[in-house]
Amino acid sequence: MWGEKVEIYIKPKKKAEIAAINNNLYVKDVAEVYTDAALREKAENVKLTPITKGDTFVISAFDIIKAISAALPSHPISNVGEIDTLVSVAKKPPKKSKIWSFIKIAFICIILFAGSTSAIMAFHTDSQLGTVFKQFHKIFVGEEIEKPLLINIPYSIGLALGIMVFFNHFAGRKFTKEPSPIQVEMEIYEKDIEDALIQHIDREQENAKKGGDT
């Protein structure tokens, strides 16, 4: 409708990276803007001023709305994204040593192998799976032996295949496009870390404000 004020929608990111702290920080670096093309370009290039300086800081949706409102006062603004954005300075990745990487991978593999083996053995001992396999062999074959390989070998192969199917990953390849349980847990872990960092930085900023007021 003619004369109607165009609304601006912002979708702040959960986490954003910038090249350097001395560079100017703009709305487009921490949020997506949805409105008409000309207005979106103006809103995206509004400069933001962080409350604190450092390698990691927080920009709230209120800071973004306040900055856009000051630059474009005649347009209503709605937030459809995150409340706080964790902004960090991108660091140069350290030089990787192939030998050191191999040592770390080998060490982790040994720990995982030893831990998983101990867990499986403890489970089998608690559940007396060896005794159960002996009884199965006696029931279906009619002979009682100490090591029923006819059952033990297929069970071991099935156990390995079941673990690979469950984790949806083997030798750098995935069986399906769905994320593996490890990837899901890593996503949850990263989200918890980001939330904890945001709360910690917010608390520091509030304490700094209180100290400045006194």
Side-chain angles (χ1 to χ4, degrees), residues 123-142:
F123 168 75
H124 288 172
T125 302
D126 291 341
S127 61
Q128 296 184 344
L129 199 62
T131 304
V132 173
F133 284 169
K134 291 179 186 178
Q135 293 297 324
F136 280 165
H137 192 275
K138 182 178 180 180
I139 292 171
F140 292 105
V141 180

Side-chain angles (χ1 to χ4, degrees), residues 153-192:
I153 292 175
Y155 171 78
S156 300
I157 296 173
L159 180 64
L161 292 175
I163 291 173
M164 287 188 291
V165 171
F166 175 76
F167 286 104
N168 192 25
H169 198 276
F170 178 73
R173 296 183 179 181
K174 295 178 65 177
F175 304 127
T176 64
K177 294 182 180 180
E178 297 178 356
S180 66
I182 294 179
Q183 289 175 318
V184 172
E185 290 299 322
M186 288 300 298
E187 289 288 339
I188 295 173
Y189 173 76
E190 290 178 1
K191 183 178 181 301
D192 290 341

Side-chain angles (χ1 to χ4, degrees), residues 59-208:
I59 291 289
S60 69
F62 177 75
D63 297 328
I64 301 173
I65 293 173
K66 186 177 178 181
I68 297 176
S69 297
L72 305 168
S74 59
H75 298 278
I77 305 168
S78 297
N79 176 33
V80 294
E82 299 290 338
I83 302 298
D84 294 304
T85 300
L86 184 66
V87 184
S88 59
V89 178
K91 298 180 180 179
K92 293 182 180 179
K95 294 182 180 179
K96 295 182 178 180
S97 171
K98 292 183 178 180
I99 297 176
W100 179 238
S101 297
F102 176 79
I103 292 173
K104 289 192 293 184
I105 292 172
F107 180 70
I108 293 172
C109 288
I110 291 171
I111 292 176
L112 291 176
F113 179 78
S116 59
T117 302
S118 300
I120 293 173
M121 291 173 62
F123 168 75
H124 288 172
T125 302
D126 291 341
S127 61
Q128 296 184 344
L129 199 62
T131 304
V132 173
F133 284 169
K134 291 179 186 178
Q135 293 297 324
F136 280 165
H137 192 275
K138 182 178 180 180
I139 292 171
F140 292 105
V141 180
E143 182 183 0
E144 185 175 356
I145 59 177
E146 186 66 23
K147 296 180 179 180
L149 299 181
L150 187 64
I151 299 177
N152 288 346
I153 292 175
Y155 171 78
S156 300
I157 296 173
L159 180 64
L161 292 175
I163 291 173
M164 287 188 291
V165 171
F166 175 76
F167 286 104
N168 192 25
H169 198 276
F170 178 73
R173 296 183 179 181
K174 295 178 65 177
F175 304 127
T176 64
K177 294 182 180 180
E178 297 178 356
S180 66
I182 294 179
Q183 289 175 318
V184 172
E185 290 299 322
M186 288 300 298
E187 289 288 339
I188 295 173
Y189 173 76
E190 290 178 1
K191 183 178 181 301
D192 290 341
I193 291 294
E194 291 168 2
D195 291 339
L197 280 172
I198 289 173
Q199 291 177 5
H200 177 70
I201 294 173
D202 282 341
R203 195 177 299 113
E204 286 186 342
Q205 291 177 354
E206 290 180 3
N207 293 335

Side-chain angles (χ1 to χ4, degrees), residues 8 10 24-31 33 38-49 59 63-73 77:
I8 300 173
I10 60 170
N24 293 329
L25 183 66
Y26 298 98
V27 170
K28 61 184 177 183
D29 297 323
V30 297
V33 179
L39 190 60
R40 181 175 66 247
E41 185 177 357
K42 292 179 181 179
E44 286 178 341
N45 288 285
V46 171
K47 187 177 179 180
L48 299 172
T49 304
I59 291 289
D63 297 328
I64 301 173
I65 293 173
K66 186 177 178 181
I68 297 176
S69 297
L72 305 168
I77 305 168

